[in-house]
Amino acid sequence: MTDQTMTIRQMCDAFKVTARTLRFYEAKELLFPIREGQKRLFTKRDRARLKLILKGKRFGFSLEEIRQLLNLYDDDSGKFNQLNETYRMAIDRLEQLIRRRDELEELIEDLRNHMDWASEQLNDSQTSLKVACG
Amino acid sequence: MTDQTMTIRQMCDAFKVTARTLRFYEAKELLFPIREGQKRLFTKRDRARLKLILKGKRFGFSLEEIRQLLNLYDDDSGKFNQLNETYRMAIDRLEQLIRRRDELEELIEDLRNHMDWASEQLNDSQTSLKVACG
DNA sequence: AAGACGATAACGTGGCGTCAGGGTGG
DNA sequence: CCCACCCTGACGCCACGTTATCGTCT
């Protein structure tokens, strides 16, 4: 409400998430909004954490993995080990993404071939094929 | 049990899935094993379908989407209109795959950049970086 | 008094994992 | 009689969505 904290609605608008999601993240100890009466007020720290949560999610990390990563960042001591651990996880994730992309290329080829075959069953579908496949 | 059909255990071994998964797919009408008493017997058609199910899953399609795709493949014998409909859906799927691949490509770049940035925080992680990113 | 915004509680969903308890065939 | 393998429930998990019902502020 002050310019240091945000209401749940402001958070939703700012980060394009639902209130349910923010409450869920609090329940899972990923966020720690302070309370003004019953109402949650999200701090700068919560916003920083949420940014990392959403990024982590896009990379396919589970919330539990993200919670661990966040805790690592919070821990002041031993930054070297923390970063190395983070790094190891990121490398794993990257390799997964690359494998997925490669498999996806394969399936795209498969489906294109199937469509080429299917198009021979028709006489008039060349146009839509070209539209779809460039 | 004959050389045309397989027991659930044989299916598990052949496709590296659990029995629970196969029963679940039957419940969701993705597979249609015949029965010998209580026991399920999976046909050649089931095996072909399962291959496609597993392929689709790796690319992040929902089982419901996969069910629709399978129905498309079943419709090969269809008439002109059905084939056009099939074709339209196949084009949609192909576009989905391409978008998915492009998004993955973005994520990979994004994660690589993150790791490059992170590596500057360290002094000694160049080796693992090169291992991961080539 | 109405309407916007907040809260909690609790059930639904997808894709199975994981028991529990009970056949059935060799 | 045992064991391996099969079956059908039915509850558990994750990451929320979706009501339902209520309180609070303006």
Side-chain angles (χ1 to χ4, degrees):
Chain A
M1 216 66 165
T2 75
D3 68 354
Q4 300 289 356
T5 67
M6 285 169 67
T7 69
I8 202 167
R9 194 61 51 180
Q10 290 171 330
M11 289 290 281
C12 294
D13 293 347
F15 291 94
K16 309 276 185 183
V17 296
T18 69
R20 177 70 176 95
T21 298
L22 294 173
R23 294 187 193 114
F24 184 76
Y25 290 167
E26 186 191 8
K28 291 287 170 182
E29 302 190 304
L30 292 165
L31 299 178
F32 307 97
I34 57 179
R35 297 295 180 120
E36 190 185 59
Q38 276 200 320
K39 297 189 179 183
R40 289 167 178 84
L41 290 179
F42 295 85
T43 66
K44 201 177 109 192
R45 175 161 173 261
D46 288 317
R47 272 147 14 221
R49 291 174 73 91
L50 184 53
K51 271 185 202 168
L52 262 166
I53 294 167
L54 297 178
K55 200 135 211 176
K57 281 199 43 179
R58 293 201 67 209
F59 295 147
F61 288 94
S62 73
L63 290 188
E64 178 53 27
E65 288 172 318
I66 292 169
R67 201 182 58 79
Q68 290 172 26
L69 285 178
L70 285 169
N71 290 346
L72 291 186
Y73 280 115
D74 273 355
D75 231 348
D76 289 336
S77 57
K79 280 178 183 164
F80 280 117
N81 287 340
Q82 291 159 14
L83 271 177
N84 275 335
E85 175 63 14
T86 300
Y87 213 75
R88 199 189 55 71
M89 289 178 70
I91 289 170
D92 287 353
R93 219 41 76 165
L94 180 53
E95 285 169 350
Q96 272 184 37
L97 291 176
I98 290 170
R99 278 197 302 275
R100 268 201 207 179
R101 183 206 50 190
D102 291 347
E103 283 180 300
L104 205 39
E105 288 295 354
E106 255 188 78
L107 188 67
I108 288 170
E109 270 318 293
D110 278 6
L111 190 47
R112 276 184 172 156
N113 290 339
H114 188 83
M115 288 172 69
D116 287 347
W117 171 85
S119 74
E120 290 166 14
Q121 313 294 102
L122 287 134
N123 30 19
D124 178 52
S125 59
Q126 304 302 327
T127 308
S128 54
L129 182 64
K130 282 177 185 169
V131 168
C133 303
Chain B
M1 215 69 164
T2 76
D3 69 353
Q4 300 288 356
T5 67
M6 287 169 66
T7 70
I8 201 165
R9 193 60 51 177
Q10 291 171 331
M11 289 290 281
C12 293
D13 295 347
F15 291 94
K16 309 276 187 183
V17 296
T18 69
R20 177 69 175 95
T21 298
L22 294 174
R23 293 185 193 117
F24 184 77
Y25 290 168
E26 186 192 7
K28 292 287 170 181
E29 302 190 301
L30 292 164
L31 299 177
F32 307 96
I34 57 179
R35 296 296 179 120
E36 191 185 57
Q38 276 196 320
K39 297 188 179 182
R40 289 167 178 83
L41 290 179
F42 295 85
T43 66
K44 200 178 110 194
R45 175 161 173 261
D46 288 317
R47 267 138 31 212
R49 291 175 72 92
L50 183 52
K51 270 185 205 168
L52 261 164
I53 293 167
L54 297 178
K55 203 153 206 178
K57 277 199 40 179
R58 270 182 279 129
F59 310 132
F61 286 97
S62 73
L63 291 188
E64 178 53 27
E65 288 172 319
I66 292 169
R67 202 181 58 78
Q68 289 173 27
L69 270 176
L70 284 169
N71 291 345
L72 291 187
Y73 281 97
D74 274 355
D75 271 348
D76 282 347
S77 59
K79 302 157 200 159
F80 188 76
N81 280 343
Q82 285 171 341
L83 203 49
N84 262 345
E85 176 66 10
T86 296
Y87 211 74
R88 195 189 57 72
M89 289 186 70
I91 288 171
D92 287 352
R93 300 297 158 174
L94 181 53
E95 285 170 349
Q96 258 185 56
L97 288 177
I98 290 171
R99 278 197 302 274
R100 239 176 246 267
R101 182 205 51 189
D102 290 347
E103 196 188 349
L104 259 180
E105 210 67 72
E106 262 185 68
L107 282 175
I108 288 168
E109 266 320 291
D110 202 2
L111 187 49
R112 275 182 173 157
N113 289 338
H114 248 281
M115 290 172 70
D116 287 347
W117 172 84
S119 75
E120 291 166 15
Q121 314 295 101
L122 287 133
N123 31 17
D124 176 55
S125 58
Q126 305 302 327
T127 309
S128 53
L129 182 66
K130 283 176 185 168
V131 167
C133 304

